[in-house]
């Protein structure tokens, strides 16, 4: 049961990424929105035209089904922010022992900078292998719900043959 839940969220996370990237390409890079994957689809927070969202979600699903797995990974993902925070915190802690405050601060700053730089490819790897799955062969979009006067949408998904 938990395994199916996690697998569904990972697939919906991949579809969310593809959809957001296609929306940004269509509506422009100044578009401000946030996505969040859940077991039965994903939410888009931001003022997005419902028809554009429907079209981009359908196109994202089609592209992922065609094997264009690169759509599942994006530098805009929260996984990258979390990875950078954790790695920078651990690096700073690692160099915070011994020495005077004058030595600790520059060491912690340098460790944090190096950690954030290294966390960028690590965040993409975590997305690729842990937080998303581009395997949407049996996934379909079953609806798009417009909420809060269009500032929130939920894209509903289902897996063919999956129990309800």
């Amino acid at each position: 049961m938990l395994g199916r839940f996690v697998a569904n969220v990972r697939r919906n996370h991949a579809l969310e990424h593809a959809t957001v990237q296609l929306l940004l390409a269509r509506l422009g890079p100044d578009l401000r929105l946030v996505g969040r994957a859940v077991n039965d689809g994903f939410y888009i927070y931001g003022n997005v035209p419902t028809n554009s969202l429907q079209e981009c979600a359908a196109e994202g699903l089609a592209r992922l089904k065609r094997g264009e797995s690169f759509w599942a990974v994006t530098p805009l993902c929260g996984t990258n922010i979390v990875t950078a925070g954790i790695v920078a915190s651990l690096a700073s802690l690692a160099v915070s022992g011994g020495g005077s405050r004058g030595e600790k601060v520059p060491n912690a700053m340098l460790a944090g900078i190096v950690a954030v730089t290294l966390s960028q490819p690590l965040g993409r790897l975590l997305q690729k292998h842990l937080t998303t799955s581009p395997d949407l062969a049996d996934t379909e979009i079953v609806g798009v719900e417009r909420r809060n006067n269009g500032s929130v949408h939920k894209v509903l998904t289902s897996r063919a043959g999956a129990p309800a």
Side-chain angles (χ1 to χ4, degrees):
M1 180 85 128
L2 180 61
R4 182 175 38 219
F5 176 86
V6 170
N8 287 341
V9 173
R10 290 181 68 217
R11 280 189 280 274
N12 289 325
H13 193 190
L15 180 55
E16 171 213 320
H17 282 181
T19 302
V20 166
Q21 291 179 85
L22 291 164
L23 280 167
L24 289 169
R26 178 179 287 191
L27 301 176
D30 293 333
L31 180 66
R32 295 292 170 241
L33 53 87
V34 173
R36 181 174 60 88
V38 292
N39 180 53
D40 62 345
F42 61 92
Y43 290 91
I44 296 293
Y45 302 91
N47 289 314
V48 177
T50 303
N51 64 328
S52 295
L53 176 58
Q54 289 171 319
E55 292 167 3
C56 289
E59 182 179 347
L61 180 60
R63 287 174 179 248
L64 288 165
K65 284 184 174 186
R66 283 196 306 259
E68 298 178 26
S69 61
F70 61 88
W71 290 101
V73 176
T74 174
L76 304 174
C77 181
T79 301
N80 296 336
I81 297 167
V82 170
T83 301
I86 291 171
V87 173
S89 296
L90 293 173
S92 296
L93 283 172
V95 299
S96 66
S100 69
R101 177 180 246 179
E103 293 170 343
K104 290 179 188 180
V105 171
N107 288 343
M109 290 173 60
L110 181 60
I113 291 168
V114 170
V116 168
T117 302
L118 294 175
S119 70
Q120 292 174 14
L122 179 59
R124 287 190 296 272
L125 281 172
L126 288 172
Q127 284 180 69
K128 184 177 180 179
H129 298 289
L130 186 66
T131 65
T132 70
S133 172
D135 178 19
L136 281 93
D138 59 354
T139 301
E140 60 186 356
I141 296 169
V142 295
V144 176
E145 297 176 351
R146 184 175 183 264
R147 301 175 179 182
N148 292 354
N149 295 322
S151 65
V152 177
H153 288 84
K154 184 173 185 185
V155 176
L156 298 156
T157 62
S158 178
R159 293 185 56 219

